[in-house]
Amino acid sequence: MFVEAVGLFVFLVAVYVASTIWQNRHLPPGPFPLPVLGNLLSISLDQPYRDFANLTRTYGKLFRVQMGSTKVIVINSYEIAKEALVTKAKDFAGRPPHFFGAIFGRDNTDIAFQTYSPRWKLQHKIAMTAMRMTEDKANIPFYIEELKEAFCSQDGKPFNPRDSVCKSIGGCLSSWIFGDDKCNDWELDALLQATHVFNLSIGAANIINTFPVFKYIPFRSIENAKHSAKIRDQIFVRKFQEQVSSSKTKNYSSMVEAMYKEFKEIGGDGLTENNLISSASDLFSAGTETPSTQITWGLFYVMKYPDAQARLHRELDNVVGAERLPELSDRPNLPYLDAFLNEMVRIVSETPLAIPHLTMRDTSLAGFYIPRDTSVIVNLWAIHHDLEYWKDPFTFRPDRFLDKEGRLGVHGILPFSAGIRTCPGERFGRKAVFLCLSRLLHRFKFECPEGEELPAEEDSDLGILRNCKPFKIRAITRN
């Protein structure tokens, strides 16, 4: 009996190995998967992007891993990412099922987590048109002035800047999305909390997406996500209805109003008001969390590298002076500030793994066959730390983005992804981060309080974004 059992075991192992090799014969190389678990034991939950980057040493810049029974293609190269996201954008434009994405995407009616389809294309077009038509409603300078006053009120004492930055960017998004019906303090705090919960929930999504049975276990992260999404949805639905019922003119007083009027004119492909509400919710969440995270990291790095901060101050003083505030029109004349922002985005890679893509048809990538309905992850962290692309990638060096004449040069970073599924809020995000950090640096010198230490960059909180561990600053008025 024992010999027969061993024989059966050997036979089953041989069948599994042979079938696995056969199924993967045309795919990119990758580690051999274990039954049931796949390659999960090789990938950590807290820093999966580093584990993927380490696998490039053995399998190259494009490889496959298996998450449970699901095959995933991982891109770790700028050139291959551009091939997938730009050259073959429609081939890689889908989205695989995502547990927390469905919760915060209101049953896959949003832009970020909904897969590519005629309905998604129309929804995306309406949202982008509404954003362009109401761009002037995003009064970024007003909310930056409020943020500066909040910093001033600390009177040079140590404080954690994160909440103030989030409130400022969130308030700006609220006024842009809802116009005069912008959120009150309670609503804004609730939406910011929901966004924060969503960011942290993504860390638990990998295991649930791999083993869907876990979604039936009452994990605290699931209950928190559902509760936060419910409160957020109540606010957005109520405010959407208020906007729709009060809309009587052809003028666009808010993004929601512009989306609704566009929807009424060109609606179709199964699009409903629910999709518009989900679009607005997406834009608030991504538009608040990403710029806030980048601004907070920016404050971290100006304190960590005081020589860089001094150079930023000199550039602002020479170009802008003390009699006025920095404007977007100053950006071409502030190359070191632009280089500093690029380097900060590169080294942090605050979105280390882009939201997964799904192939819409049989296609190829870097010469390898990629079948339809294959999940694809773009490892932005690996791209931004590629030893073959960047010299000393773990060193913070803004000058790498400047040419010999001190002008901003070409770069290979993808902070907002690229192609069809690029972040819709990229234009707002870039503008908000530049104006906020330029005006804060114009007004303040930032110092690490005596007795305080900055957290290590690698010791960050990972959700969908990498958030810096809490730290305190001193904002000392310059002018």
Side-chain angles (χ1 to χ4, degrees), residues 210-239:
T210 303
F211 302 108
V213 68
F214 284 141
K215 68 183 179 182
Y216 300 109
I217 300 175
F219 291 120
R220 183 178 295 275
S221 59
I222 296 177
E223 297 305 314
N224 288 344
K226 289 181 177 179
H227 176 71
S228 296
K230 180 179 179 181
I231 293 175
R232 179 211 58 185
D233 291 347
Q234 289 172 347
I235 294 172
F236 269 89
V237 169
R238 182 176 68 253
K239 288 196 165 294

Short mmCIF file of all heavy atoms in Angstrom, two decimals, residues 210-239:
data_model
loop_
_atom_site.label_atom_id
_atom_site.label_comp_id
_atom_site.label_asym_id
_atom_site.label_seq_id
_atom_site.Cartn_x
_atom_site.Cartn_y
_atom_site.Cartn_z
N THR A 210 -6.50 36.49 -4.83
CA THR A 210 -5.91 35.19 -5.14
C THR A 210 -6.79 34.05 -4.67
O THR A 210 -6.98 33.05 -5.37
CB THR A 210 -4.51 35.06 -4.49
OG1 THR A 210 -3.70 36.15 -4.95
CG2 THR A 210 -3.86 33.76 -4.86
N PHE A 211 -7.33 34.20 -3.46
CA PHE A 211 -8.21 33.17 -2.88
C PHE A 211 -9.55 33.80 -2.53
O PHE A 211 -9.76 34.24 -1.39
CB PHE A 211 -7.56 32.55 -1.65
CG PHE A 211 -6.22 31.93 -1.90
CD1 PHE A 211 -5.06 32.52 -1.44
CD2 PHE A 211 -6.12 30.75 -2.62
CE1 PHE A 211 -3.82 31.96 -1.68
CE2 PHE A 211 -4.88 30.17 -2.87
CZ PHE A 211 -3.73 30.77 -2.41
N PRO A 212 -10.48 33.90 -3.49
CA PRO A 212 -11.75 34.60 -3.28
C PRO A 212 -12.56 34.10 -2.09
O PRO A 212 -13.40 34.84 -1.57
CB PRO A 212 -12.50 34.36 -4.60
CG PRO A 212 -11.42 34.12 -5.61
CD PRO A 212 -10.35 33.40 -4.86
N VAL A 213 -12.32 32.87 -1.64
CA VAL A 213 -13.08 32.34 -0.52
C VAL A 213 -12.88 33.19 0.73
O VAL A 213 -13.76 33.27 1.59
CB VAL A 213 -12.68 30.87 -0.24
CG1 VAL A 213 -11.26 30.79 0.28
CG2 VAL A 213 -13.65 30.21 0.74
N PHE A 214 -11.74 33.90 0.81
CA PHE A 214 -11.46 34.72 1.99
C PHE A 214 -12.40 35.92 2.12
O PHE A 214 -12.49 36.52 3.18
CB PHE A 214 -10.01 35.21 1.97
CG PHE A 214 -9.01 34.15 2.35
CD1 PHE A 214 -7.79 34.06 1.70
CD2 PHE A 214 -9.29 33.24 3.35
CE1 PHE A 214 -6.87 33.08 2.03
CE2 PHE A 214 -8.37 32.25 3.71
CZ PHE A 214 -7.16 32.16 3.05
N LYS A 215 -13.09 36.27 1.03
CA LYS A 215 -13.99 37.42 1.12
C LYS A 215 -15.19 37.13 2.00
O LYS A 215 -15.90 38.04 2.43
CB LYS A 215 -14.44 37.85 -0.27
CG LYS A 215 -15.36 36.87 -0.98
CD LYS A 215 -15.68 37.36 -2.38
CE LYS A 215 -16.59 36.37 -3.12
NZ LYS A 215 -16.87 36.81 -4.50
N TYR A 216 -15.42 35.84 2.28
CA TYR A 216 -16.54 35.46 3.15
C TYR A 216 -16.16 35.46 4.63
O TYR A 216 -16.99 35.25 5.49
CB TYR A 216 -17.07 34.09 2.75
CG TYR A 216 -17.58 34.05 1.32
CD1 TYR A 216 -16.88 33.37 0.34
CD2 TYR A 216 -18.76 34.72 0.97
CE1 TYR A 216 -17.33 33.34 -0.97
CE2 TYR A 216 -19.21 34.70 -0.35
CZ TYR A 216 -18.49 34.00 -1.31
OH TYR A 216 -18.94 33.98 -2.60
N ILE A 217 -14.87 35.67 4.90
CA ILE A 217 -14.40 35.75 6.28
C ILE A 217 -14.50 37.20 6.73
O ILE A 217 -14.04 38.11 6.02
CB ILE A 217 -12.95 35.24 6.41
CG1 ILE A 217 -12.89 33.78 5.95
CG2 ILE A 217 -12.45 35.39 7.84
CD1 ILE A 217 -11.49 33.20 5.93
N PRO A 218 -15.09 37.49 7.87
CA PRO A 218 -15.31 38.89 8.28
C PRO A 218 -14.05 39.58 8.78
O PRO A 218 -13.93 39.95 9.94
CB PRO A 218 -16.35 38.74 9.40
CG PRO A 218 -16.10 37.40 9.99
CD PRO A 218 -15.69 36.53 8.83
N PHE A 219 -13.06 39.76 7.87
CA PHE A 219 -11.86 40.49 8.24
C PHE A 219 -12.22 41.94 8.56
O PHE A 219 -13.11 42.53 7.95
CB PHE A 219 -10.84 40.47 7.09
CG PHE A 219 -10.24 39.12 6.83
CD1 PHE A 219 -10.37 38.50 5.60
CD2 PHE A 219 -9.52 38.47 7.83
CE1 PHE A 219 -9.80 37.27 5.35
CE2 PHE A 219 -8.93 37.23 7.58
CZ PHE A 219 -9.08 36.62 6.35
N ARG A 220 -11.49 42.51 9.50
CA ARG A 220 -11.75 43.91 9.87
C ARG A 220 -11.54 44.84 8.68
O ARG A 220 -12.27 45.82 8.50
CB ARG A 220 -10.84 44.33 11.02
CG ARG A 220 -11.09 45.75 11.52
CD ARG A 220 -10.19 46.09 12.68
NE ARG A 220 -10.48 45.26 13.84
CZ ARG A 220 -11.43 45.55 14.73
NH1 ARG A 220 -12.18 46.62 14.58
NH2 ARG A 220 -11.63 44.75 15.77
N SER A 221 -10.54 44.55 7.85
CA SER A 221 -10.26 45.42 6.70
C SER A 221 -11.44 45.45 5.73
O SER A 221 -11.75 46.49 5.14
CB SER A 221 -9.00 44.95 5.97
OG SER A 221 -9.14 43.62 5.52
N ILE A 222 -12.13 44.30 5.59
CA ILE A 222 -13.29 44.25 4.70
C ILE A 222 -14.44 45.06 5.28
O ILE A 222 -15.09 45.85 4.59
CB ILE A 222 -13.72 42.79 4.45
CG1 ILE A 222 -12.62 42.02 3.72
CG2 ILE A 222 -15.03 42.75 3.66
CD1 ILE A 222 -12.94 40.56 3.50
N GLU A 223 -14.69 44.88 6.57
CA GLU A 223 -15.78 45.61 7.22
C GLU A 223 -15.50 47.11 7.20
O GLU A 223 -16.42 47.91 6.95
CB GLU A 223 -15.95 45.12 8.67
CG GLU A 223 -16.34 43.65 8.78
CD GLU A 223 -17.60 43.33 7.98
OE1 GLU A 223 -18.58 44.10 8.09
OE2 GLU A 223 -17.58 42.34 7.23
N ASN A 224 -14.26 47.52 7.46
CA ASN A 224 -13.91 48.94 7.41
C ASN A 224 -14.11 49.52 6.01
O ASN A 224 -14.60 50.64 5.85
CB ASN A 224 -12.46 49.15 7.85
CG ASN A 224 -12.26 48.93 9.33
OD1 ASN A 224 -13.22 48.92 10.11
ND2 ASN A 224 -11.02 48.76 9.76
N ALA A 225 -13.71 48.74 5.01
CA ALA A 225 -13.84 49.21 3.63
C ALA A 225 -15.31 49.39 3.25
O ALA A 225 -15.70 50.41 2.66
CB ALA A 225 -13.17 48.23 2.67
N LYS A 226 -16.14 48.43 3.60
CA LYS A 226 -17.56 48.52 3.26
C LYS A 226 -18.23 49.67 4.00
O LYS A 226 -19.06 50.39 3.42
CB LYS A 226 -18.26 47.19 3.59
CG LYS A 226 -17.88 46.04 2.66
CD LYS A 226 -18.61 44.76 3.03
CE LYS A 226 -18.30 43.64 2.06
NZ LYS A 226 -18.98 42.37 2.41
N HIS A 227 -17.88 49.86 5.26
CA HIS A 227 -18.46 50.95 6.04
C HIS A 227 -18.05 52.30 5.47
O HIS A 227 -18.90 53.20 5.30
CB HIS A 227 -18.02 50.83 7.50
CG HIS A 227 -18.49 51.95 8.37
ND1 HIS A 227 -19.83 52.10 8.73
CD2 HIS A 227 -17.83 53.00 8.95
CE1 HIS A 227 -19.96 53.17 9.50
NE2 HIS A 227 -18.76 53.74 9.64
N SER A 228 -16.77 52.46 5.16
CA SER A 228 -16.29 53.72 4.61
C SER A 228 -16.90 54.00 3.24
O SER A 228 -17.28 55.14 2.94
CB SER A 228 -14.76 53.71 4.50
OG SER A 228 -14.17 53.60 5.77
N ALA A 229 -17.00 52.96 2.41
CA ALA A 229 -17.60 53.14 1.08
C ALA A 229 -19.07 53.54 1.19
O ALA A 229 -19.56 54.36 0.41
CB ALA A 229 -17.46 51.85 0.27
N LYS A 230 -19.77 52.99 2.17
CA LYS A 230 -21.18 53.32 2.35
C LYS A 230 -21.36 54.79 2.71
O LYS A 230 -22.22 55.49 2.15
CB LYS A 230 -21.78 52.44 3.45
CG LYS A 230 -23.27 52.70 3.71
CD LYS A 230 -23.79 51.76 4.79
CE LYS A 230 -25.26 52.05 5.07
NZ LYS A 230 -25.79 51.16 6.14
N ILE A 231 -20.55 55.28 3.65
CA ILE A 231 -20.63 56.69 4.04
C ILE A 231 -20.26 57.59 2.86
O ILE A 231 -20.94 58.59 2.57
CB ILE A 231 -19.70 56.97 5.23
CG1 ILE A 231 -20.22 56.22 6.47
CG2 ILE A 231 -19.61 58.46 5.51
CD1 ILE A 231 -19.30 56.33 7.67
N ARG A 232 -19.18 57.24 2.15
CA ARG A 232 -18.77 58.03 0.99
C ARG A 232 -19.86 58.07 -0.06
O ARG A 232 -20.19 59.14 -0.62
CB ARG A 232 -17.50 57.43 0.38
CG ARG A 232 -16.99 58.16 -0.85
CD ARG A 232 -16.30 57.22 -1.80
NE ARG A 232 -17.17 56.13 -2.23
CZ ARG A 232 -16.77 55.12 -2.99
NH1 ARG A 232 -15.51 55.04 -3.37
NH2 ARG A 232 -17.61 54.16 -3.35
N ASP A 233 -20.48 56.91 -0.34
CA ASP A 233 -21.52 56.86 -1.36
C ASP A 233 -22.73 57.71 -0.98
O ASP A 233 -23.34 58.36 -1.84
CB ASP A 233 -21.95 55.41 -1.60
CG ASP A 233 -20.87 54.59 -2.28
OD1 ASP A 233 -19.90 55.19 -2.78
OD2 ASP A 233 -20.99 53.36 -2.30
N GLN A 234 -23.09 57.71 0.29
CA GLN A 234 -24.22 58.52 0.73
C GLN A 234 -23.96 60.00 0.46
O GLN A 234 -24.85 60.73 0.01
CB GLN A 234 -24.48 58.30 2.22
CG GLN A 234 -25.05 56.93 2.55
CD GLN A 234 -25.12 56.67 4.05
OE1 GLN A 234 -24.51 57.39 4.86
NE2 GLN A 234 -25.84 55.62 4.44
N ILE A 235 -22.73 60.44 0.71
CA ILE A 235 -22.38 61.85 0.48
C ILE A 235 -22.41 62.17 -1.01
O ILE A 235 -23.01 63.16 -1.44
CB ILE A 235 -20.99 62.16 1.08
CG1 ILE A 235 -21.03 62.04 2.60
CG2 ILE A 235 -20.53 63.56 0.67
CD1 ILE A 235 -19.67 62.13 3.27
N PHE A 236 -21.79 61.31 -1.82
CA PHE A 236 -21.73 61.60 -3.26
C PHE A 236 -23.10 61.52 -3.92
O PHE A 236 -23.42 62.35 -4.78
CB PHE A 236 -20.74 60.64 -3.94
CG PHE A 236 -19.35 61.19 -4.01
CD1 PHE A 236 -18.44 60.97 -2.98
CD2 PHE A 236 -18.94 61.95 -5.09
CE1 PHE A 236 -17.16 61.49 -3.03
CE2 PHE A 236 -17.65 62.47 -5.15
CZ PHE A 236 -16.76 62.24 -4.12
N VAL A 237 -23.91 60.56 -3.55
CA VAL A 237 -25.25 60.44 -4.14
C VAL A 237 -26.09 61.66 -3.79
O VAL A 237 -26.76 62.25 -4.65
CB VAL A 237 -25.95 59.15 -3.67
CG1 VAL A 237 -27.42 59.16 -4.07
CG2 VAL A 237 -25.25 57.92 -4.26
N ARG A 238 -26.04 62.06 -2.52
CA ARG A 238 -26.84 63.22 -2.09
C ARG A 238 -26.40 64.48 -2.82
O ARG A 238 -27.21 65.25 -3.34
CB ARG A 238 -26.72 63.41 -0.58
CG ARG A 238 -27.57 64.58 -0.06
CD ARG A 238 -27.52 64.69 1.45
NE ARG A 238 -26.21 65.10 1.95
CZ ARG A 238 -25.37 64.31 2.58
NH1 ARG A 238 -25.69 63.04 2.80
NH2 ARG A 238 -24.20 64.76 3.00
N LYS A 239 -25.11 64.70 -2.90
CA LYS A 239 -24.61 65.92 -3.53
C LYS A 239 -24.83 65.89 -5.04
O LYS A 239 -25.09 66.93 -5.66
CB LYS A 239 -23.13 66.12 -3.19
CG LYS A 239 -22.92 66.53 -1.74
CD LYS A 239 -21.56 67.11 -1.51
CE LYS A 239 -21.52 67.82 -0.17
NZ LYS A 239 -22.39 69.02 -0.13
#
